[in-house]
Amino acid sequence: MDNRTGEIEAFLRTVEGGSFAAAAKALRQTPSAVSRSVARLEARLGVRLLTRTTRSLSVTPEGERFRVQAQKLLVDLDELERSFAADKSEPRGRLRVSASTPFGIHQLLPVLPEFLQRYPKITVDLSLSDAVVDLVGERTDVAIRHGPLRDSSLRARKLGSSRWIVAASPEYLQRHGTPQTPSDLEQHNCLNFNYRRSVEGWTFRTGTRVKQYHVGGNFLGNSGEALRLMCLGGAGVARLADFLIGADVRAGRLVPLLQNYIRADSEDVHALYIGHTRLAARVRVFLDFLVERVSLDA
């Protein structure tokens, strides 16, 4: 309790008890200490709150007006403290989350119903976009990022890693043939992103050498999900993350290509948040939930 709150409490206890002695007993202070607190409050306000005589105390009109407002203030303060204490046991509030469209569709949305059942007083405000958001400017609590981390001012929880897969639909391969080496991709329609990525080109390994191949095609998209759907439709060859097209490969909807040339590396996926000593409960439990439920196969 700071000095101002303590002075207000001393004044209210004095009015309630009718004397400095009664207030001192309630506050476990000396009567003189209570009297000095009230005097400091009056000096700061520039008004007389109590009329003192040798036999009694009475409240001035200004003191009565102040008493009503001060009691409301302390009630509101108690309610505020209780609400934050309750957050520790039952997280609540609006949780703003940003993720890429494919990660949101294939990883977040399948498990979010479970999260909301577990924490019914949290409202998830989810934005799906492959654009990189500014957590502070966009007032975002948690952002899912893929690849190398560049912003050292943010804290991160690693959710896992996902390997790359080059694939095409059976229909496309039937029409255009199956590439046997990375160089063969020059003869194929390769679907690509229309924005700059951390690594340009498609990376392959030949023996001990690693080389980037700049591929081309007649479709560019700003979303991995858009490239996935075009690939499923037979439009061309795509290089996408396992968490996005792994199920399609296992179901036979897409055929993995050039597996002997794929690098044995993967792309890390992190949940980024603004670092604080004490995280809001809604952010803390969401980060823990992501680590627990998100499934990424490196």
Side-chain angles (χ1 to χ4, degrees):
M1 186 177 292
D2 64 20
N3 290 337
R4 288 185 301 172
T5 308
E7 291 165 1
I8 294 172
E9 184 74 14
F11 167 71
L12 293 177
R13 292 286 187 172
T14 299
V15 173
E16 180 183 331
S19 68
F20 292 133
K25 184 177 180 180
L27 296 173
R28 297 183 180 179
Q29 299 178 14
T30 64
S32 60
V34 174
S35 178
R36 287 194 297 271
S37 292
V38 174
R40 285 194 299 270
L41 177 61
E42 290 177 321
R44 190 171 64 255
L45 296 176
V47 296
R48 178 72 66 180
L49 301 176
L50 297 174
T51 299
R52 302 160 176 82
T53 68
T54 56
R55 294 180 178 272
S56 64
L57 292 174
S58 61
V59 184
T60 66
E62 293 80 8
E64 178 59 24
R65 184 160 61 92
F66 184 81
R67 181 191 66 80
V68 173
Q69 295 298 319
Q71 283 183 331
K72 182 178 183 302
L73 174 66
L74 292 185
V75 168
D76 290 344
L77 181 59
D78 286 342
E79 179 60 30
L80 178 63
E81 290 181 347
R82 281 196 296 270
S83 70
F84 274 86
D87 283 352
K88 294 180 180 179
S89 58
E90 188 172 12
R92 65 188 66 200
R94 184 179 296 272
L95 178 72
R96 293 178 173 86
V97 180
S98 171
S100 66
T101 302
F103 189 89
I105 292 174
H106 295 275
Q107 292 290 324
L108 284 185
L109 291 176
V111 299
L112 275 180
E114 179 185 345
F115 177 78
L116 293 175
Q117 290 174 8
R118 191 181 299 185
Y119 303 104
K121 294 190 176 180
I122 293 178
T123 298
V124 174
D125 185 342
L126 175 63
S127 296
L128 298 182
S129 170
D130 282 14
V132 176
V133 302
D134 175 3
L135 270 71
V136 177
E138 299 292 333
R139 298 177 62 196
T140 300
D141 294 304
V142 178
I144 310 300
R145 298 268 176 88
H146 309 258
L149 297 179
R150 295 174 177 171
D151 193 338
S152 60
S153 66
L154 299 174
R155 300 182 68 181
R157 292 279 297 274
K158 185 176 178 179
L159 304 181
S161 300
S162 183
R163 62 187 178 91
W164 292 103
I165 300 177
V166 175
S169 70
E171 293 76 15
Y172 174 88
L173 297 175
Q174 185 175 5
R175 293 196 310 270
H176 300 281
T178 301
Q180 301 299 317
T181 69
S183 298
D184 292 344
L185 292 175
E186 295 178 4
Q187 309 304 318
H188 286 268
N189 195 48
C190 296
L191 314 175
N192 228 324
F193 291 96
N194 61 7
Y195 58 86
R196 185 176 179 83
R197 294 176 60 80
S198 57
V199 176
E200 295 297 321
W202 292 7
T203 305
F204 294 97
R205 181 188 68 242
T206 303
T208 59
R209 296 179 55 211
V210 174
K211 182 179 177 180
Q212 289 184 20
Y213 289 77
H214 293 275
V215 299
N218 62 7
F219 180 81
L220 301 173
N222 69 345
S223 164
E225 182 65 14
L227 267 62
R228 169 181 172 266
L229 293 175
M230 291 293 290
C231 191
L232 286 169
V237 180
R239 179 179 183 264
L240 296 167
D242 176 73
F243 75 79
L244 175 55
I245 62 172
D248 296 317
V249 170
R250 291 186 288 273
R253 294 186 292 268
L254 293 177
V255 178
L257 306 172
L258 305 173
Q259 291 181 289
N260 292 334
Y261 298 91
I262 299 295
R263 289 185 61 191
D265 64 349
S266 57
E267 184 176 65
D268 289 340
V269 180
H270 292 87
L272 270 61
Y273 58 99
I274 299 172
H276 292 295
T277 303
R278 296 180 179 177
L279 279 177
R282 66 183 184 279
V283 177
R284 175 175 48 79
V285 297
F286 184 67
L287 291 171
D288 291 342
F289 180 82
L290 289 179
V291 172
E292 171 194 342
R293 296 292 288 114
V294 167
S295 175
L296 294 175
D297 298 320

